[in-house]
Amino acid sequence: MALTLVAPEPKYTDAPLIDLTDRDTRERLSDGAVRAFFNIMEAWKINDTQAKALLGGMSNGAFYTLKKGSGKRLDEDRIRRISYLVGIFKALNVLYDQDLADRWITLPNSNRIFGGKAPLDYMLRGGQPAFQTVRRLLDARRGGR
């Protein structure tokens, strides 16, 4: 008689992918993303010029309208950028006490990725790929997801 082996159900499953190309999804996520972004900018003491650059660049009028909480729907690029920043913020707060977590992004860093400059400078120069690198570095330091 042949035995039939059945693999157990995994305890881990991936979260469903979010389709940022979908207009309704972006509309649903935009208000929370904007609030999170400005809360992080305040915690990190990032000035408006740098904040605009982290969002991929935008006019003063559009930025300050967004900052006032106009309810504007963000595009895919900006939601993705904010998502990386939220992940970076979370990882820093897992790794360090609040004071260092909030200052880390602006402190000179000897890691070869940053070349003695602050991670903020690296992200401002490198855009989304740099956001991803910083996020992956911090996630690795804290042991994964």
Side-chain angles (χ1 to χ4, degrees):
M1 178 182 271
L3 268 181
T4 303
L5 297 176
V6 178
E9 288 294 319
K11 293 181 182 178
Y12 172 80
T13 58
D14 281 333
L17 294 176
I18 296 173
D19 182 6
L20 294 179
T21 63
D22 179 65
R23 179 185 179 120
D24 292 336
T25 300
R26 290 194 319 272
E27 191 164 329
R28 180 177 56 83
L29 296 174
S30 288
D31 285 342
V34 168
R35 282 192 309 275
F37 175 77
F38 285 111
N39 287 338
I40 291 169
M41 295 302 98
E42 183 178 333
W44 288 350
K45 296 178 178 42
I46 303 296
N47 67 45
D48 288 350
T49 301
Q50 293 168 323
K52 286 190 299 186
L54 289 171
L55 285 174
M58 58 190 332
S59 71
N60 284 335
F63 178 78
Y64 290 110
T65 298
L66 194 64
K67 194 171 184 176
K68 287 179 187 174
S70 70
K72 182 181 179 197
R73 184 180 55 252
L74 297 173
D75 62 22
E76 181 179 347
D77 178 69
R78 290 200 171 105
I79 290 177
R80 196 169 307 282
R81 287 168 176 272
I82 293 170
S83 176
Y84 280 125
L85 293 170
V86 168
I88 291 165
F89 181 83
K90 176 184 171 185
L92 288 170
N93 280 277
V94 167
L95 289 167
Y96 307 116
D97 65 58
Q98 185 174 358
D99 180 56
L100 181 55
D102 289 345
R103 292 183 309 114
W104 184 90
I105 204 82
T106 59
L107 295 174
N109 194 304
S110 61
N111 186 301
R112 65 185 173 154
I113 292 170
F114 308 119
K117 294 187 181 338
L120 175 63
D121 296 329
Y122 175 76
M123 292 190 309
L124 290 170
R125 282 191 326 273
Q128 248 192 74
F131 287 35
Q132 183 181 31
T133 299
V134 173
R135 169 98 188 253
R136 290 173 62 203
L137 171 73
L138 293 170
D139 284 347
R141 285 184 181 169
R142 69 181 188 92
R145 300 180 96 120

